[in-house]
Amino acid sequence: MEPMRRISVIRNKLFAAMVGFLLAGPVLVHAEKVYLIKVDGAIGPATASYISRAIDIATEGSGQCLVIELDTPGGLVDTTKAIITKFLAAKIPIVVYVTPSGASAGSAGCFIVLAADVAAMAPTTNIGAAHPVQIGAGGDVEKMDDIMKQKLENYMSSYIEMIAEKRKRNVKWAISSVVESSCITAEVALQTNVIDIIAVNLPDLLKQLDGRDVNGKKLMTATASVEEIMASTREKILQMIWRPEVMYILMLIAMYGIIGELSNPGAILPGVAGAIAVLLVLYMSSVLPMNIAGLALIGLSMILFTVDIFAPTHGVLTFGGILAFFLGSVLMFDRMDPVYRISMVFLVPATLLTAAFFLFIVGSGLRAQYLPSRVGSESMIGQIVKTESLIDSRGGTVMFEGELWNAVCDVSVGAGQNVAITETKGLLLKVRPVINKEVGDDSGSS
């Protein structure tokens, strides 16, 4: 009986262990999830759309938090405010992580980091320089009067102060980042309570986040799986074209296409490409801040290029056009802000290409429209021929390209004289006498 009892006990224990394993299975299979997105580049409308969509997905997926890996030189004020508003209303913890090493959270990026529930940076990264350089979408970044500049500075400093107080971060430094364009490293930011964590990489960040209480929620991220939310095709396209270089290229395409169509009517393709580019430029100009003086200089260069095709200025207007186009390109966007800066390596070839386009392509097309006709009866006008008989108002004959033509003239012209064709009426030519010096230009007589 004793062996049977032992077997029964062992069997019961095995059964209990199996039941416990099956009951614990769902718990073991279920893993905590952390959502991740990556923002690299200027902060624009596409960025706001991407972040907003990611917050909604992470909230619906009951994620532990949303991690935003950030590397940006800055961006638009209006877009930054939209992102921060979404942060403050989010029902899921937002972690902004400035990475990789060498990355920065400049200008608008500084606001975004400070507005996060948890602010983290990788070693050898920096944050700051949040001084405003433009009012908002479509604002003029070139010059502001002192009163407007002070009003904008006061507004942005109070805005970042509100964010820092909300997240219990270093308010004094936050204000200095706007007023004095202060910029600090990750190590200094951690020491001065600007950020919460310095993490070497994402696993290190998740390890340090584990157990942290954020808005009453204890994070469990040490063993959480990471699910990256990719940008949509639309967001990728908008982010790609939302760059001053792309807008500059589109503007050149619009200019080349429309002027090419006008100088060579009927080509169709240049006109269609130019029209599409114009629409895209108009859309982008409502977002990117542009300088009217830069656009005016580029418009002046177009006029100078075109006039020089017909005016005998020996290249003076062409040189002026090249200079005006280059200066306009430089002034079109604010070169003090790295977000809108276009490299000289890009501007110089664009200027030379535009000059060549006008001098050779557009010039040839416009000059061709003013050349005399080379086919049909219109090509006979102006040709100098010799009379074969006496010609007067009643008639006569001339020889043109080996053929006899009937001709009339208002005055009598003897045989063997030079006359110029002034009009054609079917097979009848109207001519006039010519003086000797016109004979040297004769290219159609026989």
Side-chain angles (χ1 to χ4, degrees), residues 43 70-75 80 98 103-114 120-121 125-133 160 170 172-186 188-189 192 194-195 337-339:
I43 303 299
L70 181 67
D71 180 11
T72 178
T80 305
V98 182
S104 64
S107 192
C110 179
F111 284 80
I112 293 173
V113 171
L114 292 177
M121 298 177 70
T125 56
N126 64 79
I127 181 174
H131 192 282
V133 295
I160 203 169
N170 191 325
K172 184 178 180 180
W173 180 86
I175 295 174
S176 70
S177 69
V178 172
V179 178
E180 303 172 5
S181 294
S182 176
C183 186
I184 55 177
T185 63
V188 176
T192 55
V194 173
I195 62 172
D337 188 350
V339 177

Side-chain angles (χ1 to χ4, degrees), residues 207-222:
K207 184 178 179 181
Q208 295 190 53
L209 286 173
D210 190 62
R212 181 181 289 265
D213 185 274
V214 179
N215 299 330
K217 177 180 181 179
K218 186 176 181 180
L219 298 181
M220 294 181 289
T221 58

Side-chain angles (χ1 to χ4, degrees), residues 144-388:
M144 304 180 214
D145 58 58
D146 292 338
I147 296 178
M148 181 59 69
K149 182 178 179 181
Q150 187 63 43
K151 289 174 66 176
L152 177 60
E153 186 178 285
N154 290 341
Y155 171 75
M156 296 309 296
S157 61
S158 64
Y159 187 65
I160 203 169
E161 179 182 4
M162 177 270 295
I163 295 171
E165 287 180 346
K166 172 71 175 177
R167 298 307 189 197
K168 296 179 173 57
R169 298 206 168 94
N170 191 325
V171 174
K172 184 178 180 180
W173 180 86
I175 295 174
S176 70
S177 69
V178 172
V179 178
E180 303 172 5
S181 294
S182 176
C183 186
I184 55 177
T185 63
E187 291 73 15
V188 176
L190 181 63
Q191 294 172 5
T192 55
N193 190 34
V194 173
I195 62 172
D196 307 301
I197 296 172
I198 290 182
V200 176
N201 49 35
L202 183 60
D204 182 30
L205 173 65
L206 297 181
K207 184 178 179 181
Q208 295 190 53
L209 286 173
D210 190 62
R212 181 181 289 265
D213 185 274
V214 179
N215 299 330
K217 177 180 181 179
K218 186 176 181 180
L219 298 181
M220 294 181 289
T221 58
T223 58
S225 62
V226 178
E227 180 175 328
E228 184 175 355
I229 302 173
M230 304 301 296
S232 65
T233 302
R234 174 180 176 273
E235 290 162 352
K236 289 179 180 178
I237 293 175
L238 290 177
Q239 183 66 19
M240 180 183 66
I241 68 173
W242 191 80
R243 295 180 60 86
E245 296 90 348
V246 176
M247 182 175 180
Y248 188 69
I249 292 173
L250 288 172
M251 187 190 68
L252 293 179
I253 293 174
M255 184 173 63
Y256 296 163
I258 293 175
I259 294 177
E261 181 68 29
L262 293 176
S263 60
N264 298 276
I268 300 178
L269 180 59
V272 172
I276 294 174
V278 165
L279 294 177
L280 290 174
V281 168
L282 290 176
Y283 165 73
M284 296 178 69
S285 64
S286 66
V287 178
L288 288 174
M290 300 180 66
N291 184 4
I292 300 301
L295 291 176
L297 281 170
I298 291 177
L300 174 62
S301 70
M302 303 300 102
I303 297 174
L304 294 177
F305 285 138
T306 304
V307 172
D308 196 49
I309 293 172
F310 303 100
T313 60
H314 305 290
V316 175
L317 292 182
T318 296
F319 178 78
I322 294 174
L323 183 61
F325 184 87
F326 179 75
L327 292 176
S329 300
V330 172
L331 294 176
M332 181 175 296
F333 300 104
D334 182 22
R335 293 190 57 79
M336 297 301 293
D337 188 350
V339 177
Y340 310 112
R341 187 178 301 158
I342 301 180
S343 172
M344 286 292 176
V345 177
F346 187 86
L347 292 180
V348 172
T351 302
L352 296 178
L353 178 63
T354 302
F357 173 78
F358 271 89
L359 291 177
F360 297 105
I361 300 178
V362 176
S364 299
L366 291 176
R367 282 189 291 265
Q369 296 185 35
Y370 291 91
L371 291 175
S373 299
R374 298 183 181 275
V375 295
S377 60
E378 291 84 358
S379 64
M380 301 173 66
I381 306 299
Q383 298 292 335
I384 298 175
V385 296
K386 286 186 179 296
T387 61
E388 291 295 314

